[in-house]
């Protein structure tokens, strides 16, 4: 038994070997996976540089960075939602009533009822 296996009292110490043996090979590969710089793609290099920069930040810098990113995401989301919101056209109940009035068989009484229904559902007060 080599001297690297012994603890301070001189007995064999194989606890580290047992612990490593219990961990599966895939788990060790995932935990210790590193790539050489020459094998990284340009996207991986950019991500690596950002990660290194973030790891070197102080707590205060990290908090400010995250808050700035959250605020930027909120404003971008708000602007995208604003751009995607449907553009409403102004509706003239008077024009609609005049157009319906041209249909044969609809008189003034029916037009007043239709106008009341339109105002109720569109929540617009028409000035006829």
């Amino acid at each position: 038994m080599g001297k690297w296996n012994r603890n301070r009292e001189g007995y064999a110490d194989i606890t580290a070997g047992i612990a490593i043996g219990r961990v599966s090979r895939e788990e060790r590969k995932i935990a210790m996976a590193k790539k050489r710089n020459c094998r990284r793609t340009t996207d991986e290099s950019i991500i690596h540089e950002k990660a290194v920069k973030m790891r070197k930040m102080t707590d205060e810098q990290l908090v400010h960075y995250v808050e700035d990113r959250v605020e930027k995401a909120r404003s971008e989301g708000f602007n995208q939602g604003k751009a995607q919101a449907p553009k409403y056209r102004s509706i003239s109940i008077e024009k609609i009533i005049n157009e319906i009035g041209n249909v044969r068989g609809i008189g003034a009484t029916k037009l007043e009822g239709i106008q009341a229904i339109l105002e109720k559902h569109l929540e617009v007060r028409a000035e006829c």
Side-chain angles (χ1 to χ4, degrees), residues 11-119:
Y11 296 108
D13 190 9
I14 57 172
T15 54
I18 293 170
I20 290 172
R22 289 183 181 160
V23 177
S24 70
R25 183 175 181 166
E26 289 79 25
E27 288 175 323
R28 281 184 287 174
K29 203 175 198 182
I30 291 169
M32 301 178 73
K34 282 191 174 183
K35 251 187 182 179
R36 292 182 171 210
N37 287 339
C38 62
R39 304 222 192 274
R40 286 193 192 124
T41 64
T42 54
D43 293 336
E44 289 175 336
S45 295
I46 291 170
I47 290 171
H48 176 72
E49 289 171 11
K50 287 182 181 179
V52 169
K53 186 186 282 186
M54 289 178 72
R55 280 194 295 269
K56 289 183 178 182
M57 286 184 184
T58 64
D59 290 345
E60 187 176 352
Q61 290 172 331
L62 194 57
V63 167
H64 288 300
Y65 177 77
V66 170
E67 287 175 350
D68 289 343
R69 300 300 284 173
V70 166
E71 187 60 37
K72 183 178 177 185
R74 280 190 186 137
S75 66
E76 286 178 0
F78 177 76
N79 292 336
Q80 286 178 355
K82 198 176 186 182
Q84 291 177 354
K87 306 286 187 225
Y88 292 108
R89 297 183 301 162
S90 61
I91 297 172
S92 172
I93 294 178
E94 185 177 312
K95 288 181 182 178
I96 295 171
I97 295 297
N98 288 337
E99 194 172 331
I100 293 173
N102 294 334
V103 177
R104 289 182 63 177
I106 297 179
T109 309
K110 285 283 185 194
L111 281 176
E112 288 178 17
I114 292 170
Q115 183 175 355
I117 292 170
L118 285 173
E119 288 175 357

